[in-house]
Amino acid sequence: MPTAPLHDWNLAPRDAIALQKRLAGRVERADRLAPVRHLAGVDIGFEQDGAITRAAVVMLAWPPDEDGVFKVVEQVVHREPTRMLYVPGLLSFREVPAALAAFERLRVTPQLVMVDGQGIAHPRRIGVASHLGLWLDLPTIGVAKSRLCGRHGEPGPARGDWTPLVDGPDDEVIGAVLRSRVKVKPIFVSPGHRVSLPTALDWVTRCLGRTKLPEPTRLADRLASRRDQKRGE
DNA sequence: GCGACAG
DNA sequence: ATCTTGTCGC
């Protein structure tokens, strides 16, 4: 468990930003992961006009079978009153608390976690994926459906094609824009914690089925927004 | 001052 | 994020 406060969800925006600046220095960008046996996907959804926050974690066994199908080892959903409103750049203060509560109920500990959102592809280099990884003390990868910051060209048309996402005056590489499916808008992959960009891209690519999102993220997405049982209520 | 802006 | 039917395509 971390010593200094890695998270405080009662902070005013300016204090939250100050905290992010301090924590950014602790985010590790080099690989430091154990052999992967379990991979988790995390996502947050909302109910009742945003009043209820719904965190979902799906635990998958690695590797998948010959057909690329992953075995779901565990599944957790945690609901709680929403803490604060969405502010670009401060997403973790809204979503991490619920995600942590969901993780506490897990029986299995994963060696890698894919988070719906940015990792270091963030103004202060600490998006939700990095922040959650720091708190959980686990390797994480950020998988986002759109851009928060940075510049990039158009990735090639083939599945797996990608272009770097750069930011700052010195064109620092903070992530990759990946064509996960042909003829579909690309996704944004970035290192969260303890993972390099090449490794992040490698894992995301290996978890791609025939869908736009990698399996861990896709399944967590589905569970968080109830797209699985929504019919018949 | 004017845009941009993960989920 | 969420509200939602049909429709186009493999």
Side-chain angles (χ1 to χ4, degrees), chain A residues 39 60 62 64 68 70 112 114 159 201-211 213-218:
Chain A
L39 219 179
L60 305 175
W62 180 268
F70 287 85
L112 180 63
M114 285 192 190
R159 186 169 177 277
L201 272 171
D202 189 32
W203 278 102
V204 169
T205 301
R206 289 200 280 174
C207 290
L208 284 178
R210 62 206 165 181
T211 50
L213 295 172
E215 283 303 283
T217 306
R218 188 183 69 82

Side-chain angles (χ1 to χ4, degrees), chain A residues 76 93 97 113-114 212 226:
Chain A
V76 169
F93 293 86
V113 182
M114 285 192 190
K212 163 175 175 166
R226 308 193 289 180

Side-chain angles (χ1 to χ4, degrees), chain A residues 42-44 91 95 114-118 128 143-145 217 221:
Chain A
V42 192
D43 187 36
I44 278 67
L91 183 65
E95 301 191 341
M114 285 192 190
V115 184
D116 195 27
Q118 313 289 351
V128 302
V143 178
K145 294 180 280 299
T217 306
D221 239 80

Side-chain angles (χ1 to χ4, degrees), chain A residues 74-134:
Chain A
E74 206 177 353
Q75 215 164 261
V76 169
V77 172
H78 168 79
R79 299 165 76 253
E80 65 173 40
T82 298
R83 312 242 177 195
M84 57 176 266
L85 45 93
Y86 168 68
V87 178
L90 300 180
L91 183 65
S92 59
F93 293 86
R94 172 175 163 91
E95 301 191 341
V96 165
L100 292 176
F103 261 90
E104 281 174 12
R105 287 171 44 190
L106 288 174
R107 202 166 54 71
V108 177
T109 299
Q111 286 75 48
L112 180 63
V113 182
M114 285 192 190
V115 184
D116 195 27
Q118 313 289 351
I120 63 171
H122 174 279
R124 291 166 292 284
R125 307 294 180 260
I126 179 163
V128 302
S130 301
H131 203 151
L132 183 61
L134 206 48

Side-chain angles (χ1 to χ4, degrees), chain A residues 15-184:
Chain A
D15 294 321
I17 289 172
L19 177 57
Q20 287 184 329
K21 287 179 179 173
R22 292 204 310 264
L23 297 181
R26 299 199 200 180
V27 176
E28 297 175 29
R29 307 181 184 204
D31 293 321
R32 201 182 117 202
L33 47 171
V36 176
R37 287 158 54 195
H38 291 107
L39 219 179
V42 192
D43 187 36
I44 278 67
F46 297 89
E47 301 174 14
Q48 300 172 27
D49 295 308
I52 299 296
T53 296
R54 182 185 167 98
V57 180
V58 176
M59 190 70 65
L60 305 175
W62 180 268
D65 64 23
E66 282 75 9
D67 305 311
V69 179
F70 287 85
K71 180 184 180 185
V72 176
V73 173
E74 206 177 353
Q75 215 164 261
V76 169
V77 172
H78 168 79
R79 299 165 76 253
E80 65 173 40
T82 298
R83 312 242 177 195
M84 57 176 266
L85 45 93
Y86 168 68
V87 178
L90 300 180
L91 183 65
S92 59
F93 293 86
R94 172 175 163 91
E95 301 191 341
V96 165
L100 292 176
F103 261 90
E104 281 174 12
R105 287 171 44 190
L106 288 174
R107 202 166 54 71
V108 177
T109 299
Q111 286 75 48
L112 180 63
V113 182
M114 285 192 190
V115 184
D116 195 27
Q118 313 289 351
I120 63 171
H122 174 279
R124 291 166 292 284
R125 307 294 180 260
I126 179 163
V128 302
S130 301
H131 203 151
L132 183 61
L134 206 48
W135 183 276
L136 292 174
D137 202 23
L138 290 175
T140 56
I141 294 173
V143 178
K145 294 180 280 299
S146 61
R147 183 193 69 94
L148 171 60
C149 68
R151 304 174 292 278
H152 66 86
E154 181 74 11
R159 186 169 177 277
D161 283 349
W162 63 277
T163 50
L165 175 65
V166 303
D167 191 32
D170 51 352
D171 280 3
E172 177 191 356
V173 178
I174 59 176
V177 185
L178 173 70
R179 184 80 63 190
S180 54
R181 274 199 76 179
V182 178
K183 291 177 181 174
V184 168

